[in-house]
Amino acid sequence: MRAPVSWLRELVEIPADQTGRDIAARLIRAGLEVETVETIGGGVTGALFVGRVVEIEELSEFKKSIRWCQVDVGAAGGGIRGIICGARNFVVDDIVVVALPGTVLPGGFKIVSRETYGHISDGMICSERELALSEEHDGIMVLPAGTPGADAGPIIGVGEEVLDISVTPDRGYALSLRGIARELAISYGAPFQDPGLTVADLRAPATNASPAQCGSEDFEACALFTLRTIVGFDPKAASPQWMKQRLTAGGMRPVSLAVDVTNYVMLELGQPLHAFDLDKLNGPVRAGWAESGSTLETLDHVTRNLTPDDLVILDDDGIIGLAGTMGGLDGEIDADTTNIAIEAAHFAPSVVARMGRRHQLSSEASRRFERGVDRTLAPYASARAAALLIEYGGGQYVGMTAVEAPHEPSVIKMPVSEPGAVAGLRIDAHVVVELLVAVGCEVLSSDDQLEVVAPPWRSDLTDPADLVEEVVRLVGYDLLPSTLPVSVAGHGLSKSQRLKRRIGMTLAARGSVEVLTYPFVSADELADLQLPLTDIRRSKVRLANPLSDQQPYLRASLLPGLLSAARRNLGRGMSGVHVFELGSVFQGENTGLAPRPSVLIRPRDDEWAALNELLPSQPAHLGVVLAGEREEAGWWGPAQPYGWQDAIQTALLIADVIGAVIRIEQGIDPVFHPGRCAEIKCAGVSIGAAGELHPRVIQAWALPARSSALELDLDQLIASAPDVRAAPAVSAHPVAKEDLAVVVADSVTVAAVTQALRAGAGELLESIRLFDLYRGPQVPAGHCSMAFALRFRAPDRTLSADETAAARQGAINRAAADCGAAIRGA
Amino acid sequence: MSGPNTSFDPKQVAVLSAEAITAMVATARAAVVAAADLAQLKEVRLAHLGDRSPLALANRDIGALPPAAKAEVGKRVGEARAAVKAALDSRQIELEQARDEFVLAEECVDVTLPAARSPLGARHPLTTVMERICDIFVAMGYDIAEGPEVEAEWVNFDALNVPPDHPARTMQDTFYVTSSESGVVLRTQTSPIQIRAMLDRQLPIYVVAPGRVYRTDELDATHTPVFHQVEGLAVDEGLTMGDLKGTLDHFAQEMFGPGIVTRLRPSYFPFTEPSAELDVQCFVCLGVSVDNPDVPCRTCGSEGWIEWGGCGMVNPRVLQAVGIDSSKYRGFAFGMGIERTLMFRNGVTDMRDMVEGDVRFSLAFGLES
């Protein structure tokens, strides 16, 4: 909403010394967000004079026609000056705006006296665009009147300050000069002249003409419908200069007198109006619901398909407008319209909002109706419009018809102490009452319990809390004390929150970089991951209105985003990338409509459960991608690439960090290399996979060969982590070290052998470590040799050679039984 | 070797004369001095103190002396051996030191060689800022609450007093899941966590809720469709807007430095009433740049205040929707954007840096922000 300061000053007595910025500060303090204060023609430095064209000499010897003009700029401007001008829309004796040498126009254009077209041009006759008043550049400005030598600035609006206010949805009244002026009146304690209450003096002519009839088919949707009729209007009549200036300053383009007047009154009072050509109407004009399948071509030349949810304006010939939103092409006033019907009505905010959303159509009118227009304003506004039309366009007033639903204003009860109690501030009862009256409320009882009727322009005031806000904001938020609640006994971070931080810190300390990728994925990316259609990572959760039609799905795996991040980093010149993400994935499907319980009471437990069950499962995952060089080539030696073992090591690392136990098993996963994939199991359940990516996945993301990754369900891993960790028995007795090597078939994993050895060695085994793997002529084909270092120790004694040997043999026996292992060299 | 003599032949024991012994010591000392390294010194030691050294042989001959001479000669030889040993030991220390100096000098390295073969990674600064904020509130007794990103429209809007056709719904451009009628959305704000906290927790409630939120804005330098907020909610008996102000002042001081205060401006949010915009005093210029063109401030645009978030007293209608008695309990709530916080706090100039996943951005922050 753009509000010219001079217009505001007309409605409220703002102290003369207040600048636009001062006024803006007052409004901001009252809760209206003033985004900018701009000065019209702010780029003009120096004087602009009113001039009268005394003589015009046409210069025809040039490629384009040029005029050599003598312009009287009065004594103040130095008398008569010769000026070269290219425009042709003026005649001798016209009053124009002249910039003399020394004046600087917007864009830093300095006027100088210079020779051009064979004459010394001693100034410039200005167009609106040259002064940055509008985009108008068809000719120079011709003023209706003026005294040569006078300051042209005030006449053409240069120097006018305009406040641009971002109006929040609750403040519909601030979409009018009337509403903004009222806030200023409260702020300055200044008298306020309500233009809405000034009923224009309209006298019906002594004819037997009768006004057009109107109606409302649904009082819930349209509680008030009025129609004023004017006949004999001069369609050639122009809008007065001041009205055009105010419309332009208000951000609207002047069109014609009839349109300009409806817009002007809308800006002034906040009531949208619509003017019809009476001769194009047939029968009563009324608000009603559209029939299914009907259409309307609106003023913006879009044909709208209507439904029974569309409130329309219609006459006996059909639909002529979308109620409170936009008129139709039929019925519009045009350059020949002499008889006019002005519609002023009150439409329900939700009806207009729904239509706007359905038709993706927002207009000056709909913005106001959505936010609530003064319910009583319509007849006042149309009277004001009719008076302006008659004043500037002639014509005769015929009369008004109206239909209105009965209305009973509601009473809001509020303890007078409530604003102070909520603010934590002492606010005297009489101050509460005064402030409520200032905003326009009627305060019916001044006992401890106030009974308040909100003014008709404040449809947002419905609850005691709304009144509290009015009082506290007008007292001033800057007066609020700064206190702290009595501190409570909190629980600190939850286990999950704590452990996620530990995991993030550990990964970062190990060289991994956290990224936060968008969760939007495409069908192509899912296919590129080689996922079969049944895979849980095939996203099922789909957006109805994605930003890109290419990526309508929500991720069910962190990998697409991480792989793309890896590719981006490598593409930007990194030799290796190790990135991780801790984030939600979206699994399962969203089917059916989520329940919408009442908001008047707490939802029942079953309603709340049903609502939550409808949402997809959203577990926290950890994803890691490792690609390219782990260690760059350096003085220490050649580069080392990331590989499958780094991914698996990372899984083991983070399990260790939080004390969880995972098992690594040979796995099959379509995303990974079929022979280099680990299934990660936790408490017997598969929680993810790690290893080298499938070559086709690597190719799809254009990553270096052997790129590797890890993804696991962090919620499950964390759930398995112990709450309290048991202390170990740290023995000070000597260790007994035993090495052994076993030969097993290639199909047997190190994990299986390790597990068997561990189980067979018994409690004395302190640790076991694979230190060599061998395949070659020393072992049978299809077999390999695994060499382990075993450390034995007892908590309470030094082990004897026999004890150690027995434990070692136990390990060998178990490995032989479980894995077919043969002791090497035996 | 002969037995104890009764007759003494001085010639036979001339080697034990004082002159002879002194000469032995002098010879030994000269050899010690001449030894250039530890190996030579070892040979000198063998030659002059070893079993076959002149002094050792002389010592053996003492037995042949008459008892009367034994004591004197024995003392002489003993002193000579001690003197030679002292010379040797002293030279030993000298040579060892020289060797050590040489070897350690040989082992000298360039300690400025790059040692980090696998340098430190980083956490995302948005994460660490959120953790910092959470920690400040945890210190005030708050718990950290969480909620789903795919959220029921009822929780994201209805229960927060945003009715279906209210213009406030269009204040936040919403991603709908499955269809615009499904009743399921990507949460547009962290405020639905308030609803969950009030439905799932016991009163009084003090929670802070960080999280990722979504709006249908195209990515550019100042917008992103996916961003982060932190929300705070307190519901207790007797809470006031002053308590909200005090909590925010404390928060601002912890984030931006001692003495930094906040400013509330009236505004509108459906879920709070009264509502306010939250500004924080510019922690860079402390307001000095206002109307002072000589010292412009880029952080606050010479406004003196930085828009930080929104806040207010929980609308009693919201309490009603979750079944909390608003005649007994009052609440306050606040929220702010984390991206925005990082932008003005740490001088990030382009939103895209935070979302593209370029590791160079996060690496500059390390494990803190």
Side-chain angles (χ1 to χ4, degrees), chain A residues 205-546:
Chain A
T207 68
N208 53 1
S210 56
Q213 294 300 303
C214 70
S216 169
E217 293 177 6
D218 186 340
F219 274 150
E220 292 286 315
C222 174
L224 171 63
F225 198 104
T226 70
L227 207 59
R228 278 187 202 272
T229 304
I230 294 162
V231 296
F233 175 78
D234 174 11
K236 301 281 183 287
S239 302
Q241 179 72 20
W242 60 265
M243 186 181 289
K244 287 187 188 176
Q245 278 172 19
R246 283 189 171 173
L247 287 173
T248 305
M252 303 193 82
R253 203 168 55 86
V255 180
S256 67
L257 177 57
V259 172
D260 291 352
V261 163
T262 56
N263 284 335
Y264 182 80
V265 173
M266 178 178 70
L267 290 182
E268 182 180 62
L269 301 181
Q271 169 71 51
L273 300 171
H274 194 78
F276 293 103
D277 184 331
L278 189 60
D279 298 330
K280 296 178 182 172
L281 299 177
N282 180 20
V285 177
R286 64 247 185 216
W289 298 105
E291 281 175 25
S292 192
S294 53
T295 61
L296 172 71
E297 185 173 359
T298 42
L299 281 174
D300 52 0
H301 299 280
V302 177
T303 300
R304 313 270 172 186
N305 294 314
L306 305 180
T307 73
D309 281 341
D310 286 313
L311 189 71
V312 293
I313 307 302
L314 33 78
D315 68 1
D316 288 353
D317 289 344
I319 298 168
I320 53 176
L322 277 180
T325 305
M326 192 174 278
L329 276 182
D330 296 340
E332 271 317 296
I333 48 170
D334 58 33
D336 301 319
T337 298
T338 56
N339 301 324
I340 296 175
I342 304 167
E343 167 210 311
H346 186 81
F347 302 110
S350 60
V351 170
V352 176
R354 251 201 317 271
M355 286 200 293
R357 219 170 51 199
R358 191 164 46 245
H359 296 292
Q360 301 193 331
L361 180 59
S362 177
S363 65
E364 292 284 340
S366 69
R367 279 177 59 221
R368 287 176 171 79
F369 280 120
E370 277 177 20
R371 287 162 173 77
V373 170
D374 185 337
R375 219 201 63 84
T376 60
L377 192 58
Y380 297 97
S382 71
R384 173 108 171 97
L388 285 168
L389 285 173
I390 291 165
E391 182 178 355
Y392 293 98
Q396 292 178 310
Y397 177 61
V398 177
M400 179 182 88
T401 56
V403 291
E404 183 174 12
H407 177 67
E408 189 64 40
S410 60
V411 174
I412 310 166
K413 292 183 179 167
M414 180 186 75
V416 73
S417 60
E418 186 72 0
V422 170
L425 193 61
R426 183 191 159 85
I427 307 174
D428 289 340
H430 73 90
V431 173
V432 172
V433 173
E434 281 164 19
L435 291 173
L436 288 174
V437 168
V439 298
C441 291
E442 225 178 302
V443 181
L444 298 181
S445 158
S446 299
D447 293 336
D448 287 351
Q449 183 80 9
L450 299 185
E451 294 187 2
V452 181
V453 175
W457 60 87
R458 292 298 304 268
S459 56
D460 60 308
L461 302 183
T462 57
D463 296 1
D466 302 325
L467 301 182
V468 168
E469 177 176 85
E470 290 303 304
V471 173
V472 179
R473 81 175 168 92
L474 293 174
V475 166
Y477 284 2
D478 45 354
L479 297 184
L480 289 171
S482 184
T483 53
L484 280 171
V486 176
S487 84
V488 288
H491 301 90
L493 272 63
S494 69
K495 174 183 169 189
S496 163
Q497 289 158 354
R498 216 172 51 237
L499 297 187
K500 280 178 186 162
R501 285 192 183 187
R502 301 248 188 279
I503 290 167
M505 282 295 178
T506 305
L507 286 170
R510 289 296 185 103
S512 194
V513 178
E514 183 177 26
V515 293
L516 299 168
T517 67
Y518 284 0
F520 309 126
V521 292
S522 68
D524 285 350
E525 286 171 301
L526 299 173
D528 286 344
L529 273 185
Q530 314 292 314
L531 297 174
L533 292 175
T534 53
D535 196 291
I536 192 173
R537 290 165 290 182
R538 272 269 175 187
S539 299
K540 301 286 192 302
V541 184
R542 189 188 171 117
L543 296 176
N545 55 334

Side-chain angles (χ1 to χ4, degrees), chain A residues 634-667:
Chain A
W635 58 273
W636 51 73
Q640 298 292 324
Y642 283 114
W644 56 269
Q645 69 278 23
D646 295 308
I648 297 168
Q649 180 53 40
T650 304
L652 290 163
L653 171 72
I654 66 126
D656 279 349
V657 165
I658 66 172
V661 178
I662 58 172
R663 271 185 62 166
I664 300 299
E665 295 183 5
Q666 204 72 30

Side-chain angles (χ1 to χ4, degrees), chain B residues 51-344:
Chain B
D51 287 350
R52 312 202 66 74
S53 65
L55 277 170
L57 295 174
N59 196 42
R60 216 179 288 168
D61 285 345
I62 291 173
L65 290 182
K70 270 186 187 171
E72 190 201 333
V73 174
K75 187 180 171 216
R76 189 184 299 147
V77 172
E79 282 172 355
R81 284 168 62 116
V84 170
K85 183 171 185 303
L88 278 165
D89 288 350
S90 157
R91 183 65 178 154
Q92 177 84 21
I93 289 167
E94 271 174 40
L95 288 173
E96 278 179 1
Q97 274 177 352
R99 179 205 61 192
D100 287 355
E101 274 167 26
F102 176 75
V103 168
L104 295 182
E106 277 282 282
E107 287 176 0
C108 165
V109 294
D110 177 357
V111 295
T112 68
L113 274 172
R117 298 189 195 190
S118 51
L120 181 68
R123 305 192 71 206
H124 200 287
L126 290 171
T127 311
T128 48
V129 167
M130 281 192 284
E131 287 180 358
R132 173 90 189 97
I133 292 171
C134 287
D135 289 345
I136 291 166
F137 283 96
V138 167
M140 286 194 268
Y142 286 57
D143 289 346
I144 303 174
E146 292 161 316
E149 293 171 30
V150 173
E151 181 60 282
E153 214 176 338
W154 185 85
V155 187
N156 193 73
F157 286 129
D158 301 41
L160 286 163
N161 190 38
V162 188
D165 293 310
H166 198 273
R169 285 231 178 169
T170 51
M171 284 168 85
Q172 302 171 357
D173 297 318
T174 308
F175 283 110
Y176 288 88
V177 171
T178 309
S179 80
S180 58
E181 280 81 44
S182 67
V184 180
V185 298
L186 280 175
R187 68 179 175 202
T188 58
Q189 47 193 349
T190 41
S191 307
I193 304 175
Q194 290 185 26
I195 299 299
R196 292 183 172 275
M198 289 189 283
L199 284 172
D200 294 341
R201 291 170 188 256
Q202 299 291 315
L203 288 163
I205 293 166
Y206 288 83
V207 291
V208 60
R212 172 136 87 157
V213 301
Y214 300 84
R215 297 198 194 155
T216 58
D217 292 320
E218 297 282 353
L219 174 65
D220 62 26
T222 52
H223 296 85
T224 161
V226 183
F227 57 104
H228 297 77
Q229 290 183 334
V230 165
E231 189 93 0
L233 170 73
V235 184
D236 203 344
E237 292 181 51
L239 288 181
T240 69
M241 212 164 164
D243 294 335
L244 168 63
K245 175 83 164 77
T247 301
L248 294 169
D249 281 342
H250 178 73
F251 179 25
Q253 293 191 25
E254 292 299 312
M255 284 295 284
F256 302 111
I260 297 296
V261 297
T262 62
R263 177 178 75 174
L264 303 187
R265 283 179 290 123
S267 187
Y268 168 76
F269 304 103
F271 32 91
T272 49
E273 192 79 42
S275 301
E277 294 285 345
L278 164 63
D279 297 339
V280 64
Q281 187 183 10
C282 180
F283 52 91
V284 174
C285 75
L286 300 174
V288 169
S289 68
V290 178
D291 296 329
N292 196 351
D294 296 340
V295 284
C297 178
R298 279 195 301 178
T299 301
C300 64
S302 301
E303 295 280 335
W305 296 92
I306 302 163
E307 288 182 26
W308 196 17
C311 63
M313 302 302 288
V314 178
N315 194 318
R317 289 190 180 219
V318 174
L319 296 178
Q320 185 181 11
V322 295
I324 292 176
D325 180 359
S326 63
S327 68
K328 187 173 175 197
Y329 289 95
R330 268 198 297 269
F332 63 71
F334 54 86
M336 56 272 309
I338 304 304
E339 277 79 359
R340 179 168 166 69
T341 304
L342 197 66
M343 285 180 106
F344 70 72

Side-chain angles (χ1 to χ4, degrees), chain A residues 105 434 605:
Chain A
L105 299 188
E434 281 164 19
D605 289 351

Side-chain angles (χ1 to χ4, degrees), chain A residues 3 17 130 211 244-245 248 272 275 283 297 394 484 500 598 613 686 773 775 813:
Chain A
D17 63 345
E130 282 156 352
K244 287 187 188 176
Q245 278 172 19
T248 305
E297 185 173 359
L484 280 171
K500 280 178 186 162
S598 163
E613 266 163 36
S686 182
L773 263 183
R775 277 186 187 81
N813 294 346

